[in-house]
Amino acid sequence: MKQKNPNSIVHNRKSLTRKMQSAKQKLSDMASTAKERMVVCEAKAAEKAEQAMARTKEEKEIAHQRRKAKEAEANMDMHMAKATHAEEKLMAKQSHYHLSQGHVTHGAPVPAPAPVIGHGYRHNPPGVTSVPPAAYPPPPTGPHHHHPYGNV
């Protein structure tokens, strides 16, 4: 009986693992999309109920804006989940490569970005705001500030 090459066994195992990770990512993405669609449908139903009870045009507009906010939040959550799924797939791919090839990773692994606290309607814990810190200091102002295109 002919013995199999151990390298081909490792290659087949890595190939199968990649395929399983891809399938897992696709299923997770489909679940995230289904969840987003469900939230959108719930938001539309809530908007219709609010508009039915609304007495003024302004109350109807408020209901419409609430629906839009809920839809945007659901869309953002879906994209964040898809990014997480892609990251999980990448990490699994890299960990299998490094473990099977005998490579040692240099330095600490890159941590995932921290989630934004309170990114949507009514999601802030008491006392926490969702306004991100300023990335850059505000532009200088005053009589000695010169704009590159003149005084604008």
Side-chain angles (χ1 to χ4, degrees):
M1 181 182 225
K2 184 177 176 183
Q3 286 204 352
K4 291 186 177 183
N5 183 355
N7 290 334
S8 68
I9 294 171
V10 170
H11 176 72
N12 289 339
R13 190 178 310 140
K14 286 191 297 186
S15 176
L16 181 61
T17 302
R18 277 190 221 120
K19 288 178 183 177
M20 289 174 61
Q21 281 296 326
S22 292
K24 179 182 175 187
Q25 181 186 6
K26 286 178 185 177
L27 287 173
S28 297
D29 287 350
M30 287 172 44
S32 298
T33 302
K35 181 179 177 183
E36 186 249 355
R37 288 181 181 168
M38 183 183 69
V39 170
V40 167
C41 288
E42 288 174 356
K44 286 181 181 180
E47 178 193 17
K48 285 184 181 183
E50 281 187 57
Q51 285 188 345
M53 294 186 325
R55 295 182 179 159
T56 65
K57 186 175 180 180
E58 290 81 13
E59 288 176 342
K60 290 182 180 186
E61 180 61 25
I62 290 170
H64 178 71
Q65 292 303 322
R66 282 190 182 138
R67 175 183 67 92
K68 288 290 203 180
K70 288 177 186 176
E71 286 179 0
E73 181 184 359
N75 193 13
M76 187 188 70
D77 288 344
M78 177 196 64
H79 286 293
M80 288 294 289
K82 283 186 175 185
T84 302
H85 303 153
E87 183 181 29
E88 288 171 357
K89 178 183 173 186
L90 177 65
M91 295 305 272
K93 179 180 177 182
Q94 288 177 345
S95 68
H96 285 295
Y97 173 75
H98 290 295
L99 292 176
S100 65
Q101 299 299 321
H103 293 291
V104 177
T105 57
H106 300 286
V110 178
V116 177
I117 296 176
H119 58 272
Y121 183 67
R122 295 188 194 174
H123 284 275
N124 288 338
V128 177
T129 62
S130 62
V131 178
Y136 299 100
T141 58
H144 300 292
H145 171 66
H146 297 286
H147 194 272
Y149 301 110
N151 290 333
V152 179

